[in-house]
């Protein structure tokens, strides 16, 4: 069975991003359902997959990375309001037997992501 995992790296400080709340939503048309949440550990990862087993199925999802509080404590000089407070990544799962890894590479003024393995 497939699974969904993520991690967050602070690219401006060259370290894992600890303590970031990540929420997972399933989308169906205009409906949006929260199906999970977790906080990154000392390695910038979650202690368990966000989705796995029978809950891991094809569809459209959103990950919301609540980065603002982390950036406040990471030493970045930030404007008010922050440029990046919450980062939303919408993605699709097409193959329920594969591993979908959706990492976030973060700095105070930019981010990137990709489908990892």
């Amino acid at each position: 069975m497939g699974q969904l995992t993520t991690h967050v790296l602070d690219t401006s400080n060259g370290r894992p991003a600890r303590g970031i709340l990540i929420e997972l939503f399933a989308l169906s048309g205009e409906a949006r359902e929260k199906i999970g949440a977790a906080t990154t550990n000392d390695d910038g990862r979650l202690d368990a997959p966000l989705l796995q087993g029978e809950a891991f199925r094809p569809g459209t999802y959103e990950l919301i990375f609540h980065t603002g509080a982390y950036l406040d404590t990471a030493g970045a000089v930030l404007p008010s309001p922050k440029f990046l407070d919450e980062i939303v990544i919408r993605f699709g799962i097409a193959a329920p037997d594969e591993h979908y890894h959706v990492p976030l590479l973060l700095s105070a003024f930019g981010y990137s992501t990709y489908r990892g393995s």
Side-chain angles (χ1 to χ4, degrees):
M1 286 292 246
Q3 64 180 355
L4 172 65
T5 58
T6 187
H7 74 275
V8 184
L9 296 176
D10 178 339
T11 58
S12 57
N13 289 308
R15 64 178 180 229
R18 177 184 178 275
I20 293 179
L21 172 65
I22 302 169
E23 295 178 298
L24 175 64
F25 293 84
L27 287 80
S28 179
E30 295 297 315
R32 188 171 177 251
E33 176 188 1
K34 183 176 176 179
I35 57 174
T39 302
T40 57
N41 60 25
D42 288 344
D43 197 32
R45 298 179 181 278
L46 304 180
D47 293 330
L50 282 163
L51 276 179
Q52 62 183 343
E54 292 194 19
F56 188 80
R57 51 185 168 255
T60 303
Y61 297 86
E62 283 183 351
L63 286 170
I64 300 180
F65 295 83
H66 296 268
T67 58
Y70 171 80
L71 292 170
D72 283 339
T73 62
V77 177
L78 303 171
S80 182
K82 294 174 190 69
F83 181 67
L84 295 174
D85 189 27
E86 294 180 357
I87 297 170
V88 179
I89 299 174
R90 183 176 288 188
F91 62 98
I93 292 175
D97 58 336
E98 295 182 9
H99 181 182
Y100 283 69
H101 184 69
V102 184
L104 181 70
L105 307 178
L106 172 68
S107 75
F109 296 97
Y111 68 90
S112 66
T113 190
Y114 56 92
R115 180 180 171 195
S117 58

